[in-house]
Amino acid sequence: MLDCFFLCIFALPMKYADVILPVPLEGCFTYAVPEEMAAQAKAGMRVLVGFGRSKQYVGIIMRLHGQKPEGYEVKPLTQLMDVEPIVMPRQLELWQWMSDYYMSPIGEVMKAALPAGLKAEDGYRPRTETYIRLTEPYQNEKAMHIALNMLARAPKQQQAFIAYLSLSGWDMIGSVERRTELTREELMNASGATLPTLNLLCQRGLLETYEVEVGRLNHGGEPHPENIKKLNPAQEDAYNQILMSMMKRRVTLLHGVTSSGKTEIYIHLIQREIDRGRQVLYLLPEIALTVQMMDRLRRVFGSRLGIYHSKYSDAERVEIWQKQLSKNPYDVILGARSAVFLPFQRLGLVIVDEEHETSYKQQDPAPRYHARSAAIMMAARATVLLGTATPCAETYHNAKTGKYGLVELRQRYQGIELPEVQVVDTADLSHRKMMRGPFSPLLLARVREALERGEQAILFQNRRGWAPMVECRQCGWVPRCEHCDVSLTLHRQTNQLTCHYCGYTYRIPTECPACGGHDLQGRGYGTEKIEDQIRDILPDARIARMDLDTTRTRGAYERLISDFAAGRTNLLIGTQMISKGLDFDRVSVVGILNADAMLNQPDFRAFEHAFMMMSQVSGRAGRKGKRGLVILQTRQKDEPIISQVVHNDYAAFYDDLIAERQLFHYPPYTRLIYVFLKHKKDDTVETAAIEMGTRLRQWFGGRVLGPDKPPVARVKTLSIRKLVIKLELGLDLKLARQYLRMAEQQLMQDKRYAQLQVYFDVDPL
């Protein structure tokens, strides 16, 4: 009896856990911690819990406490899944900040942050990719000729087989160095072959498939700090200025012209942090950029470097996550946007390269965060360096007003001049019928001369596919997506019409359903059509195309970039992917085929994005050896922005831009929040948007604009409306978010809007 008395006196109070669950609901969910788990449970651990009547989820413990929730029965945790936390306290703080700031449930942040293998009950399994190879009996020249003759009556199979031999290097008998492994998807992308065609070649015993686990942790050998190059005087001065700035401010902007050697400065800063026993996160906006940068950093940092982005297998991402929690984590992580979520035990520096890039902003799904802002928040005890040749307006404003440090690097590495930019008036040339499709005579002449000199050229067209739209030349009918309010893009390679919003594909009609006519033609130019036409004009050019269609697999990036860097291809055609910091030695000519497509967008950021893209793609020319040439084709040659691009005059561009932003109350002088409403019925979403606008005006008054239809007003069968809220910088953002949530909750109480979707985009791009 006495024993029981003492047990009651000294019994520990009941523990409760607030758990983050991967569901689109606000806040955490409280569970009781069973006595047998109480000693082991810690914040940041994964737990298995019941949710609702029958569902189970893997969640993360946000915090432990002793306060029992009132009003409902508290379920117990089902299982502790970790011995030690897999999410660190600083990460949980970042998740909470992202949830609050971007008005997204913390469960959505968790879904974005954790690799899939850490969210599943049964862990993860390595993902494989299907590769294709020549069967052993046909790995000689005589057998290959026999195979080609065998396929004479099957032209599609023969074409696919020839494409395989060429892409894999087997067409160069004896040149073992050129032979490369090829994924089945890469072969299909490059040759236009269908899966049934490749299956028939496998059934004939000519080709065979095999599975390869995608992605492995970096075993890049020993670090070699001796490979770090000595900085030139301009770089040395910038490096010292950065160190001085970092002593006063957490965030510094390095504004350096293209090819000024910013990367070498980054490498010196990384080595400095490693020498101090600290870690570095190096963010890049595009996966394509990590290919070149990975090779460059591995030569210096070897196995100290880890790579993290969405093209890597889930197994590898889980392994990297776990390595970062281990006693021997990577000192340097190079990654795209999602790398900001990785755990760091002793983070000292975050580098956000090409900080202006829109790719840093997550659009869909939630959370709609900006990796640059998230990086600044997660690096609360570290310094942040933002680097670019064309800063975004908000960043440059912060630097000019003293919120951030500012260091400028005005000259190119080794004193090479910035490229000469020649403007071509395509309106005049079209009137005189001198254009050859999308190509001006000057552009064709300069590209041809460059290739004849053994140099390389780049053609920039920010549209993929064959043609942005198809039109009946008799009645003007245009095929549109059944699910979205957009015209369909023609893709000749797959012989389909594709919606670039929902991904749905359609057969190309043989006749117009409106008038019965047969004169259906593509209008405009995509990269696919550019590639086809330039092949006719320059038949000896070795052409590659870089866009979303040709880079769907992880290996495709490496192959395109390495082939161009090594000179195996000499003419690269691409979308904005090619404008983002790629470094090629022999590019002497860059062609911007249609500047007007970037300028004529219904967006207050259109000119800013256009200046950035044109300046960045121009910077690919003449990076080593001699001055490059840029041919800029436009119908608006008298626009001030064209002159500013020609003279690389960012200061003049910024002055014009910032004056306009201040006049019309746009960032950086206000904060923007977009409110989107979606519903299957157009009249329902219209009514809901009007009511939402009325409610918001009760609190925000004239700061609310709309509702209005966005340029694409229906996507995936859902009609869309948008409200814009402009908030002065001094307003209480926390209170503003409370009002927005209140308006949403009041609206959703109406039964008419049971199927309505409402979401917020904070700091939209």
Side-chain angles (χ1 to χ4, degrees):
M1 196 69 179
L2 194 60
D3 290 342
C4 292
F5 174 76
F6 280 113
L7 283 173
C8 291
I9 290 177
F10 295 108
L12 293 172
M14 186 69 176
K15 262 190 184 179
Y16 297 92
D18 291 343
V19 178
I20 306 168
L21 295 182
V23 294
L25 299 172
E26 293 296 323
C28 297
F29 300 86
T30 303
Y31 290 83
V33 181
E35 189 176 337
E36 64 272 17
M37 299 182 193
Q40 291 80 32
K42 298 176 185 175
M45 281 184 172
R46 289 177 303 162
V47 288
L48 186 65
V49 297
F51 188 76
R53 290 185 178 179
S54 57
K55 289 185 178 179
Q56 282 198 319
Y57 286 108
V58 174
I60 297 287
I61 297 177
M62 182 71 171
R63 74 183 185 103
L64 293 160
H65 57 88
Q67 186 176 353
K68 182 181 179 180
E70 300 293 334
Y72 63 89
E73 183 183 350
V74 183
K75 293 182 179 181
L77 301 177
T78 305
Q79 179 186 343
L80 275 178
M81 299 183 66
D82 300 306
V83 178
E84 293 294 334
I86 67 154
V87 181
M88 300 174 72
R90 182 66 197 133
Q91 289 174 279
L92 291 173
E93 291 174 21
L94 176 67
W95 290 12
Q96 188 63 65
W97 174 82
M98 291 178 72
S99 174
D100 293 340
Y101 187 82
Y102 292 106
M103 303 187 67
S104 175
I106 195 167
E108 300 280 16
V109 179
M110 171 190 163
K111 285 170 69 174
L114 291 180
L118 294 178
K119 293 177 288 189
E121 294 177 41
D122 54 353
Y124 68 95
R125 287 176 294 181
R127 185 164 61 93
T128 61
E129 197 161 43
T130 303
Y131 278 67
I132 198 158
R133 64 189 170 199
L134 199 61
T135 57
E136 192 172 346
Y138 290 93
Q139 292 181 11
N140 62 77
E141 189 170 6
K142 183 178 178 181
M144 287 182 204
H145 285 299
I146 292 172
L148 290 170
N149 291 332
M150 185 196 312
L151 297 173
R153 294 188 178 182
K156 289 185 178 179
Q157 293 178 49
Q158 187 183 60
Q159 183 181 355
F161 189 68
I162 291 170
Y164 169 79
L165 295 177
S166 175
L167 290 166
S168 63
W170 276 103
D171 60 341
M172 298 179 66
I173 303 298
S175 180
V176 178
E177 298 80 18
R178 268 236 37 211
R179 289 181 200 152
T180 54
E181 290 188 302
L182 195 67
T183 68
R184 185 171 62 188
E185 189 170 353
E186 285 172 332
L187 178 57
M188 291 166 66
N189 279 338
S191 67
T194 62
L195 185 58
T197 299
L198 297 185
N199 287 341
L200 287 170
L201 287 171
C202 292
Q203 290 170 20
R204 285 176 176 262
L206 304 179
L207 299 177
E208 62 184 2
T209 61
Y210 61 102
E211 298 298 312
V212 173
E213 184 181 330
V214 181
R216 294 172 179 82
L217 291 185
N218 174 22
H219 303 292
E222 289 299 312
H224 290 282
E226 68 274 10
N227 288 340
I228 299 178
K229 298 176 183 175
K230 191 176 187 319
L231 299 177
N232 66 24
Q235 290 172 316
E236 185 75 37
D237 184 49
Y239 174 79
N240 290 325
Q241 286 187 55
I242 291 168
L243 295 182
M244 292 294 292
S245 174
M246 286 177 170
M247 292 172 66
K248 302 174 185 175
R249 297 179 180 87
R250 275 202 322 111
V251 184
T252 298
L253 169 64
L254 174 58
H255 180 203
V257 298
T258 55
S259 196
S260 56
K262 294 187 291 294
T263 304
E264 207 57 51
I265 295 174
Y266 300 155
I267 291 173
H268 279 254
L269 289 168
I270 293 169
Q271 186 61 51
R272 178 177 180 270
E273 292 299 318
I274 291 175
D275 292 342
R276 298 169 71 199
R278 287 152 70 89
Q279 294 172 292
V280 177
L281 171 60
Y282 189 147
L283 289 178
L284 288 166
E286 286 282 352
I287 295 166
L289 296 184
T290 64
V291 176
Q292 280 197 327
M293 194 58 66
M294 177 178 64
D295 292 339
R296 193 163 174 182
L297 295 183
R298 270 187 180 162
R299 288 196 291 270
V300 176
F301 302 110
S303 58
R304 285 181 155 176
L305 174 71
I307 315 296
Y308 193 85
H309 57 63
S310 60
K311 286 288 183 182
Y312 273 37
S313 72
D314 185 62
E316 183 175 46
R317 280 182 283 156
V318 171
E319 289 165 14
I320 291 174
W321 189 286
Q322 292 171 337
K323 183 172 174 62
Q324 290 308 94
L325 292 167
S326 73
K327 293 180 180 178
N328 185 32
Y330 287 121
D331 291 317
V332 187
I333 289 287
L334 174 67
R337 185 174 62 216
S338 58
V340 77
F341 292 113
L342 279 172
F344 288 89
Q345 301 179 50
R346 40 189 171 78
L347 185 66
L349 172 66
V350 178
I351 297 169
V352 185
D353 199 10
E354 310 293 349
E355 67 82 29
H356 64 278
E357 278 292 345
T358 57
S359 305
Y360 281 125
K361 181 72 157 74
Q362 164 90 358
Q363 300 296 344
D364 278 307
R368 294 168 179 84
Y369 70 98
H370 199 299
R372 181 186 61 222
S373 301
I376 291 171
M377 290 304 300
M378 64 95 72
R381 300 175 186 88
T383 52
V384 179
L385 180 63
L386 311 176
T388 179
T390 53
C392 82
E394 291 89 330
T395 298
Y396 199 65
H397 179 75
N398 284 336
K400 295 291 282 186
T401 55
K403 183 177 180 180
Y404 297 167
L406 175 61
V407 177
E408 299 195 285
L409 190 55
R410 299 177 183 275
Q411 66 183 61
R412 279 187 146 191
Y413 187 67
Q414 295 182 339
I416 296 168
E417 289 184 90
L418 285 162
E420 176 190 1
V421 182
Q422 294 185 10
V423 179
V424 173
D425 185 352
T426 53
D428 176 61
L429 291 176
S430 297
H431 179 72
R432 292 191 282 153
K433 303 192 184 311
M434 294 179 67
M435 292 290 290
R436 190 167 177 181
F439 310 113
S440 65
L442 178 64
L443 175 62
L444 290 175
R446 296 296 175 263
V447 170
R448 184 179 284 110
E449 291 165 6
L451 301 188
E452 288 172 352
R453 291 193 301 265
E455 297 166 351
Q456 293 174 305
I458 289 175
L459 297 180
F460 172 64
Q461 175 76 350
N462 204 25
R463 287 271 195 168
R464 63 186 175 100
W466 180 270
M469 62 184 290
V470 171
E471 182 183 57
C472 173
R473 302 302 290 270
Q474 291 179 236
C475 72
W477 174 80
V478 173
R480 305 184 73 81
C481 179
E482 295 174 5
H483 313 287
C484 309
D485 187 21
V486 290
S487 59
L488 297 170
T489 300
L490 175 62
H491 288 256
R492 275 282 182 87
Q493 190 169 344
T494 56
N495 201 35
Q496 289 176 324
L497 294 170
T498 302
C499 174
H500 286 177
Y501 280 81
C502 69
Y504 207 82
T505 58
Y506 302 80
R507 293 179 60 186
I508 300 172
T510 55
E511 65 177 39
C512 174
C515 70
H518 291 83
D519 191 7
L520 297 169
Q521 294 187 16
R523 280 185 54 188
Y525 294 89
T527 50
E528 196 180 339
K529 191 174 183 180
I530 299 294
E531 179 186 19
D532 186 77
Q533 294 199 357
I534 203 72
R535 282 189 192 280
D536 291 339
I537 298 169
L538 301 171
D540 295 329
R542 302 185 302 278
I543 300 170
R545 172 164 55 93
M546 183 183 284
D547 55 29
L548 189 60
D549 299 317
T550 61
T551 56
R552 293 190 184 277
T553 62
R554 173 181 167 187
Y557 282 107
E558 283 92 333
R559 178 160 302 136
L560 283 166
I561 291 169
S562 64
D563 282 354
F564 194 66
R568 289 189 286 272
T569 54
N570 59 5
L571 179 55
L572 182 63
I573 299 160
T575 56
Q576 58 182 326
M577 285 183 184
I578 63 175
S579 71
K580 301 181 180 182
L582 295 172
D583 189 359
F584 301 113
D585 292 355
R586 293 186 287 270
V587 174
S588 61
V589 177
V590 166
I592 300 172
L593 299 184
N594 184 6
D596 310 309
M598 294 178 276
L599 298 174
N600 300 332
Q601 296 292 321
D603 183 354
F604 78 94
R605 295 188 191 271
F607 272 36
E608 182 181 16
H609 291 163
F611 181 88
M612 289 170 176
M613 271 195 281
M614 287 189 282
S615 298
Q616 290 286 340
V617 78
S618 296
R620 303 314 108 204
R623 296 176 69 84
K624 296 213 170 64
K626 68 171 188 176
R627 190 182 191 193
L629 173 67
V630 178
I631 308 297
L632 194 163
Q633 298 185 165
T634 177
R635 290 174 171 268
Q636 304 174 68
K637 66 181 182 66
D638 295 326
E639 278 282 359
I641 189 175
I642 299 298
S643 174
Q644 289 157 358
V645 171
V646 168
H647 297 100
N648 193 46
D649 194 348
Y650 178 84
F653 166 75
Y654 173 79
D655 288 343
D656 289 350
L657 180 75
I658 210 72
E660 188 177 79
R661 295 280 181 89
Q662 188 169 22
L663 180 63
F664 294 104
H665 308 291
Y666 278 106
Y669 297 101
T670 58
R671 289 190 181 276
L672 292 185
I673 300 177
Y674 289 171
V675 184
F676 287 97
L677 300 93
K678 295 183 177 181
H679 197 278
K680 286 194 173 183
K681 294 182 179 178
D682 190 75
D683 57 346
T684 301
V685 77
E686 176 70 16
T687 304
I690 291 170
E691 288 187 26
M692 185 72 158
T694 301
R695 284 189 169 91
L696 291 175
R697 286 186 180 91
Q698 293 175 4
W699 296 301
F700 297 108
R703 301 178 183 88
V704 181
L705 305 177
D708 198 4
K709 288 185 177 182
V712 179
R714 190 168 68 100
V715 174
K716 297 181 181 178
T717 73
L718 296 176
S719 293
I720 307 169
R721 295 295 185 275
K722 182 176 82 171
L723 291 142
V724 176
I725 304 173
K726 294 182 178 180
L727 302 175
E728 301 96 308
L729 298 183
L731 288 181
D732 185 339
L733 278 180
K734 185 177 180 180
L735 185 61
R737 288 193 288 266
Q738 288 176 3
Y739 287 146
L740 286 165
R741 286 295 188 202
M742 200 182 306
E744 177 193 12
Q745 291 164 6
Q746 291 173 357
L747 188 71
M748 297 303 288
Q749 288 171 3
D750 193 322
K751 291 181 180 180
R752 293 176 299 165
Y753 306 135
Q755 302 301 316
L756 183 72
Q757 297 178 23
V758 179
Y759 66 86
F760 306 95
D761 190 359
V762 180
D763 299 340
L765 291 184

